[in-house]
Amino acid sequence: MAHWIVMFAVNLVIPATMIGFGRLFLKNPPRQINEFYGYRTAMSMKNQDTWDFAHQCNGRIWRKWGRVLLAITIIVMLAILPQSETTVYTIGFVLTGLQVAALLGTIPIIEKELHKTFDQNGNRK
């Protein structure tokens, strides 16, 4: 049972992070463009308008996807509760890989929205 609890806790980290930062970026995004914190890509850092837009877009997507990942994680982990340690770790690591893929999969979506809304110089179309 201890191995299941550990894997369950580990598998909650990415969805919780997405939900938490999604909410943070929507409610209180980084005010100024910086190199340390926030959604930092060449396009998002063109100017304050692209910066603010990217964080609003990122916040919406991460909050929504984080909730979906959280629900999937809970369902999958409860389904494997009675399984062996090997099965729990194998499925848990696969689940973590899918979560990472979802997390990174938001980048092209946000960049597409930025390029749809702004020209290459960061001016609204």
Side-chain angles (χ1 to χ4, degrees):
M1 180 71 162
H3 58 277
W4 183 88
I5 293 169
V6 169
M7 188 52 66
F8 184 65
V10 167
N11 278 202
L12 293 178
V13 170
I14 292 174
T17 299
M18 290 178 77
I19 293 166
F21 275 97
R23 186 172 191 281
L24 181 67
F25 286 165
L26 282 172
K27 304 286 184 192
N28 190 23
R31 297 194 195 285
Q32 296 179 345
I33 299 170
N34 67 79
E35 296 286 331
F36 304 106
Y37 168 68
Y39 182 82
R40 301 174 320 273
T41 64
M43 187 64 182
S44 71
M45 297 174 75
K46 291 275 185 190
N47 59 49
Q48 193 64 45
D49 197 17
T50 58
W51 180 256
D52 294 339
F53 180 87
H55 283 86
Q56 287 296 307
C57 187
N58 188 336
R60 281 191 316 274
I61 292 171
W62 274 18
R63 198 171 64 175
K64 182 189 299 183
W65 285 29
R67 289 175 178 162
V68 170
L69 287 174
L70 181 65
I72 291 169
T73 298
I74 291 169
I75 291 167
V76 169
M77 291 305 294
L78 287 175
I80 63 169
L81 181 58
Q83 301 298 320
S84 70
E85 184 175 336
T86 302
T87 302
V88 168
Y89 283 129
T90 301
I91 293 174
F93 287 130
V94 168
L95 192 55
T96 300
L98 294 173
Q99 291 172 349
V100 169
L103 177 73
L104 295 176
T106 63
I107 296 170
I109 294 168
I110 296 164
E111 290 300 304
K112 182 179 177 183
E113 289 298 315
L114 280 165
H115 285 89
K116 189 166 64 173
T117 306
F118 299 94
D119 65 19
Q120 58 185 311
N121 297 318
N123 300 312
R124 283 194 181 260
K125 293 183 179 178

